[in-house]
């Protein structure tokens, strides 16, 4: 392996590891990223670290101003974030309806059943189940680019730290919409699945906008 190829391989590995930590908020927005510290912790040279950070900068996950910093999302970008979610999740759910298997439906149904017990869990647990449900649908679409874009839109959404608390009725409505999506997927109804997914995101969008009015 040439030195250049070796550097590329290491940069790709560092990028993947840092990206995963950022998207899951293990590394929080506003955190400063120091090249020497990353180099030491990952046991690699500074060149692959710098190349990885440049890639993350190109993806909008970090910025560089007197050092590297994990990006924080501007709430003014909320409209664009939700428009992206509606487009990506809607079409991905359409594709999933044409490719879903019985095993997939069983897995999704188990997540829906767990979310139905939302009153017995904290919000963090419910959010984790919700994200697993939607991520699994994106995976079933069979397009890795959709999954990548989905993860980024969710990062920007959760990154905003919106002061929104969903009521019991709103949470129940969301769970009912999950059942509609699941039913359309199980019956391989692509049009219905896409529209149900879009309406689900639009509903969240309306709740967030209403909560932020005057904030």
């Amino acid at each position: 392996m040439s030195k250049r190829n070796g550097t590329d391989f290491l940069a790709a590995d560092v990028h993947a590891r840092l990206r995963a930590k950022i998207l899951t908020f293990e590394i929080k927005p506003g955190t400063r990223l120091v090249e020497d510290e990353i180099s030491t912790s990952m046991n690699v040279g500074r060149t692959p670290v710098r190349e990885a950070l440049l890639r993350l900068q190109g993806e909008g996950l970090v910025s560089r101003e007197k050092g590297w910093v994990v990006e924080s999302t501007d709430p003014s970008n909320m409209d664009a974030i939700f428009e992206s979610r509606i487009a990506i999740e809607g079409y991905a759910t359409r594709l999933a309806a044409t490719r879903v298997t019985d095993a997939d439906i069983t897995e999704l149904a188990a997540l829906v059943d767990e979310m139905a017990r939302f009153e017995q869990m904290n919000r963090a647990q419910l959010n984790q189940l919700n994200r697993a449900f939607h991520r699994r649908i994106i995976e079933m679409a069979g397009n890795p680019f959709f999954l990548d874009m989905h993860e980024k839109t969710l990062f920007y959404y959760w990154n905003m730290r919106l002061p929104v608390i969903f009521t019991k009725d709103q949470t129940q409505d969301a769970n009912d919409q999950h059942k509609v999506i699941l039913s359309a997927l199980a019956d391989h109804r692509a049009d219905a699945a896409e529209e149900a997914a879009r309406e689900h995101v639009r509903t969240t969008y309306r709740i967030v906008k209403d909560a932020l009015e005057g904030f």
Side-chain angles (χ1 to χ4, degrees):
M1 181 183 291
S2 69
K3 183 176 180 180
R4 179 68 255 175
N5 287 341
T7 299
D8 289 345
F9 176 82
L10 289 173
D13 179 60
V14 173
H15 168 264
R17 291 161 68 183
L18 286 176
R19 187 176 189 277
K21 290 176 182 291
I22 291 170
L23 289 175
T24 59
F25 295 99
E26 184 176 338
I27 301 178
K28 294 179 171 52
T31 300
R32 290 201 168 274
L33 301 174
V34 181
E35 291 183 16
D36 286 340
E37 292 178 359
I38 297 171
S39 178
T40 299
S41 67
M42 294 191 177
N43 195 30
V44 296
R46 288 189 63 181
T47 297
V49 170
R50 189 173 300 112
E51 291 186 9
L53 289 169
L54 287 170
R55 283 187 62 183
L56 292 168
Q57 182 183 33
E59 294 174 334
L61 297 179
V62 303
S63 58
R64 189 177 190 181
E65 185 175 347
K66 296 181 180 179
W68 296 101
V69 180
V70 177
E71 274 287 10
S72 296
T73 302
D74 186 340
S76 66
N77 292 325
M78 183 182 67
D79 289 350
I81 291 168
F82 273 97
E83 286 169 1
S84 299
R85 285 191 59 191
I86 289 169
I88 295 165
E89 294 184 37
Y91 192 67
T93 305
R94 164 181 281 276
L95 290 180
T98 68
R99 300 168 180 175
V100 66
T101 66
D102 290 343
D104 292 330
I105 294 299
T106 299
E107 183 178 350
L108 291 176
L111 289 170
V112 169
D113 287 343
E114 283 191 74
M115 284 186 281
R117 297 189 290 274
F118 67 90
E119 292 184 89
Q120 303 168 26
M121 63 184 74
N122 60 43
R123 190 71 210 186
Q125 291 172 310
L126 180 59
N127 286 341
Q128 185 175 15
L129 291 170
N130 181 68
R131 292 179 71 166
F133 176 80
H134 291 290
R135 177 187 171 88
R136 189 69 192 95
I137 292 173
I138 304 295
E139 289 174 339
M140 287 188 291
N143 187 322
F145 294 104
F146 280 162
L147 186 58
D148 178 69
M149 290 184 284
H150 172 70
E151 288 179 340
K152 287 174 68 174
T153 57
L154 286 186
F155 166 76
Y156 293 130
Y157 171 66
W158 291 109
N159 196 344
M160 286 192 289
R161 306 299 175 93
L162 299 169
V164 180
I165 298 176
F166 289 79
T167 66
K168 176 181 175 181
D169 287 343
Q170 289 169 338
T171 302
Q172 184 60 60
D173 288 344
N175 286 348
D176 290 341
Q177 289 178 336
H178 288 153
K179 293 176 183 178
V180 173
I181 294 171
L182 178 62
S183 176
L185 288 171
D187 294 338
H188 303 284
R189 292 181 286 119
D191 288 345
E194 178 175 10
E195 180 51 35
R198 287 176 178 268
E199 180 56 28
H200 183 58
V201 179
R202 284 194 292 259
T203 297
T204 302
Y205 188 18
R206 289 191 291 268
I207 292 171
V208 170
K209 290 195 74 170
D210 288 346
L212 289 181
E213 281 189 4
F215 176 76

